[in-house]
Amino acid sequence: MLFTDYSFILFVAVVLLLYYIVPRKMQWPLLLVASYYFYYCDDWRYLIFITVTSVATWSCALIMDKIGGKGDAYLKAHKADMSKEERKAYKAQVKHKKNMVLLLSLLITIGILAVTKYTNFVINNINNFLKAGNGIRAMDIIVPTAISFYTFQAASYLIDVSRGTIKAEKNFFKMALFVSFFPQLVQGPISRFGDLSQTLYSEHKFELNGFGRGLIRIFWGYFKKLVIADRIMIAIKPMITMTDKYYGTYVFIAMLFYALELYCDFTGGIDITIGISECMGIKLKENFILPYFSKNVKEYWNRWHITMGTWFTDYIFYPLSVSPKMLKLSKWSRAHLGEKIGKRVTVYLSCFLVWLATGVWHGAAWNFVVWGLANYVVIMVSQELEPLYAKFHNKFHLKNTKGYAVFEICRTIFIMSCIRLFDCYRNVPLTFKMIASMFTKANLKVYTDGSLMQLGLTSADYTVLFIGFLIVLGVGIYKAQTKKDIRTELMKNVPLFCFVCVILIVSIVVLGAYGVGFDSTQFIYNQF
């Protein structure tokens, strides 16, 4: 059931109606039923995977909580009988037991993800490496929708329980809802239990202000998805599939089109997700904060897919950086390579592993691995060049000028768009070839000889895209300049709020990418 299906819109309408009709204590159970039905509509077999993940997560968390609770009670009861060393040894013993349970639970949850998503990738690479005749036969394995997202939510919950950050949820059905909450199931945000549980299980009465804010965000999401993203994808497809015909200048056009398409697709989906949740009084974390206004790639990743970035930082980078082996390596490197180089080794190695994992998480293919490592290289090189940047700015004093700020933004967009071409072409050698063609086989006549009209879009389509782009850009500039939430401002003026809602609805209905033979493109992050 895609967000753009009429059946989904009807489904959400029914759920929202029932949500405020049923007794408030039944609101979260209703959401659990709705979430499982939503997943069932995709493929009933997927329910097996998400249920196993939920059961393993819930039971292992309770075991860890019980181990920790018994340990605390024992220490409290024997406070006077134990020496400092004995207490320390006992705490280490308790931690070891919890870590063993954590390891088991992660092997189950992440193991399911690894087996379903990466088995055939491993088999194909083994066959290619051995150059075997028939080789190992690929396995017919179904990959459940959104398994990467709900697995990461479950893993974060387990790790937080093991750390003592949160208490284990005793009610299995509440845990099942946390893992399967349908608005965010498809493409995030990747929520933490400590955040989402504050409003997910609460009793909510209907509030016009919150419902209105959620509703207009839903409309805004559909506007970006159907009016802009799905329309421009029509032109992108031939450029990234017919590479023998569309190269050089077309690659530059394709990467800029894809930058707009991906932004409107992904943020549009997140707007719909957060909007539906807000209509229910449930708060989700923001996943984007004006990423295309970033002045460097590191800042970009602090603004783009924020919940994914913080997940990798909190659960991979920091634990790796302070692990005993990394601390030992840091000590060795400082002693043998010098303080200047030695202090960088563990940080750069940890970052490398994080970006490698990020690439693999996005997809079981080498293009995603290279995509992740390309981000890593750009960030590390930029960090090493910071002293040169400082010298440059001290000499020319451009740092705080508006012109240079625009240059930094355009530079970041260009770099990220180039890296995203690995996502477009899905073939590493071909991607490098197409990037090179931008500089070696450029043909500027493409802009004026009518070639762009042969990509499946009419002049009316380009007009709609241009106006839509200006609207999205204008909203972004307003947010960046005023630091105000547009929806809050609109809610202060009811007639204006209603007018904007009507304009968005009419635009979606009239200008949305519909028509004979049209197949609504699923949200890009559905595949993850």
Side-chain angles (χ1 to χ4, degrees), residues 38-246:
F38 173 80
Y39 214 43
Y40 167 82
C41 289
D42 208 359
D43 191 324
W44 68 267
R45 294 173 298 177
Y46 295 170
L47 292 176
I48 299 173
F49 294 92
I50 199 169
T51 302
V52 170
T53 296
S54 299
V55 170
T57 302
W58 171 74
S59 56
C60 289
L62 285 178
I63 294 172
M64 286 189 288
D65 218 27
K66 187 176 181 180
I67 292 171
K70 282 187 175 181
D72 292 340
Y74 183 86
L75 288 172
K76 186 177 181 180
H78 296 81
K79 184 177 182 180
D81 306 334
M82 301 175 71
S83 65
K84 185 177 180 181
E85 289 73 18
E86 288 174 330
R87 290 175 63 85
K88 185 177 180 181
Y90 183 78
K91 286 181 179 179
Q93 184 181 0
V94 170
K95 184 178 180 181
H96 177 73
K97 288 181 180 179
K98 290 174 68 175
N99 285 342
M100 289 299 99
V101 177
L102 174 64
L103 179 61
L104 174 63
S105 61
L106 292 179
L107 284 174
I108 296 171
T109 54
I110 298 180
I112 294 172
L113 170 64
V115 170
T116 57
K117 193 171 179 178
Y118 302 104
T119 296
N120 286 330
F121 175 66
V122 173
I123 290 174
N124 291 335
N125 280 280
I126 291 174
N127 289 338
N128 291 334
F129 179 75
L130 298 177
K131 298 186 183 300
N134 295 327
I136 306 172
R137 180 180 295 181
M139 301 178 68
D140 185 16
I141 304 175
I142 61 172
V143 182
T145 299
I147 187 171
S148 296
F149 284 100
Y150 73 68
T151 298
F152 269 30
Q153 285 209 172
S156 70
Y157 168 77
L158 288 165
I159 296 171
D160 287 345
V161 170
S162 72
R163 292 174 175 176
T165 306
I166 59 174
K167 298 291 291 183
E169 174 55 58
K170 295 182 180 179
N171 188 321
F172 166 73
F173 297 104
K174 286 187 176 181
M175 172 51 52
L177 176 58
F178 168 71
V179 174
S180 65
F181 183 47
F182 79 87
Q184 65 167 30
L185 185 62
V186 175
Q187 56 185 354
I190 302 173
S191 297
R192 310 285 178 90
F193 187 81
D195 297 323
L196 184 56
S197 62
Q198 294 181 14
T199 54
L200 182 60
Y201 311 121
S202 304
E203 298 179 4
H204 300 282
K205 64 179 182 179
F206 180 83
E207 293 184 358
L208 186 59
N209 184 70
F211 192 86
R213 286 173 58 84
L215 205 60
I216 197 170
R217 185 150 189 181
I218 294 172
F219 296 152
W220 179 236
Y222 276 115
F223 174 83
K224 288 192 287 185
K225 169 64 175 173
L226 294 174
V227 177
I228 301 176
D230 283 358
R231 174 174 273 101
I232 202 169
M233 180 54 84
I234 296 171
I236 294 172
K237 282 184 177 179
M239 288 191 285
I240 63 176
T241 55
M242 302 168 64
T243 54
D244 56 335
K245 179 179 179 181
Y246 297 110

Side-chain angles (χ1 to χ4, degrees), residues 325-335 342-343 345-346:
K325 289 186 177 180
M326 279 294 184
L327 294 176
K328 187 177 179 180
L329 175 61
S330 177
K331 185 178 179 180
W332 182 91
S333 352
R334 290 168 186 262
K343 68 181 182 180
V345 171
T346 52

